[in-house]
Amino acid sequence: MEIAENSALVVVDVQEGFEEEAYWGPRNNPGADRNIAGLIDAWQASGRPVVFVRHDSPKPDSPLRVGQPGNDFKGYVEERRGKGSGPELFLTKSVNSAFYGTPDLGEWLDGGGVRQIVVAGIQTNMCAETTARMGGNLGYEVFFALDATYTFDGVGPWGWTLGADELARATAVSLHGGGFAKVVRSAELIEAAG
């Protein structure tokens, strides 16, 4: 795996509101936060660009809405902001894809000549997956750090339900099998970025 010198880490929606189990239900991958922190540290240490994405939910009951404590980045993310020697972007969005945020992610990446991104964050099968899919469609080389994401059990049509691990596996198969992204482990990325 080759990680470009200007490969951008896109950290999606690692916010306090996702700690509210009463709202979201049970989550998977308890090691995700440790892996996200490790990726941020590796990217910052190497001077590579890091993008911090915050979801400002328009839903009136969402823990992620503006003005609620749940809108804030988790502590370990907030304390890392501004610590790297490389470029850094903070953007907000109210939909799934970080490419539909403010300021414009694609414009910022293109301005820095970035053609490779690494996606990590929450939720695996929602905003992280949507950002990776769109990145692939826009022509970026996308690495999806599956173990640096997590999600929750889900309910679909006709009473269908899938557990969080099943949803994460479906994301991995769709992204990888569909050619949107290379699904990898965070340790591989950290080693390649060293």
Side-chain angles (χ1 to χ4, degrees):
M1 170 186 330
E2 281 197 43
I3 298 299
E5 286 302 312
N6 67 346
S7 177
L9 174 64
V10 182
V11 182
V12 180
D13 304 350
V14 184
Q15 292 164 255
E16 290 289 352
F18 282 118
E19 293 294 316
E20 296 188 26
E21 190 174 330
Y23 184 87
W24 303 101
R27 67 173 269 190
N28 72 332
N29 193 16
D33 292 290
R34 182 185 65 245
N35 294 331
I36 294 165
L39 284 168
I40 297 170
D41 289 345
W43 253 248
Q44 289 182 328
S46 68
R48 289 181 171 87
V50 180
V51 179
F52 293 99
V53 181
R54 187 183 76 203
H55 190 79
D56 291 347
S57 178
K59 295 179 182 164
D61 66 332
S62 173
L64 304 177
R65 66 193 188 280
V66 177
Q68 297 300 306
N71 183 252
D72 295 342
F73 286 124
K74 291 191 186 191
Y76 74 88
V77 170
E78 187 58 46
E79 70 193 23
R80 284 170 167 80
R81 287 180 59 205
K83 298 285 167 52
S85 56
E88 184 175 300
L89 179 68
F90 164 63
L91 74 83
T92 60
K93 64 179 182 59
S94 58
V95 294
N96 301 105
S97 175
F99 285 96
Y100 285 125
T102 306
D104 187 282
L105 176 59
E107 199 172 279
W108 187 81
L109 293 171
D110 295 347
V114 175
R115 300 307 310 155
Q116 183 187 83
I117 64 171
V118 172
V119 177
I122 313 167
Q123 298 179 55
T124 311
N125 58 317
M126 298 290 184
C127 296
E129 178 177 343
T130 304
T131 297
R133 281 176 179 264
M134 193 163 172
N137 280 175
L138 290 169
Y140 296 95
E141 181 182 20
V142 181
F143 289 100
F144 192 83
L146 186 63
D147 65 350
T149 72
Y150 68 84
T151 192
F152 305 91
D153 294 357
V155 179
W158 309 297
W160 292 359
T161 59
L162 287 175
D165 282 334
E166 293 175 294
L167 288 167
R169 202 169 297 130
T171 288
V173 170
S174 295
L175 288 178
H176 204 86
F180 295 101
K182 294 181 182 83
V183 178
V184 295
R185 292 184 174 86
S186 54
E188 298 173 77
L189 291 162
I190 291 166
E191 185 181 347

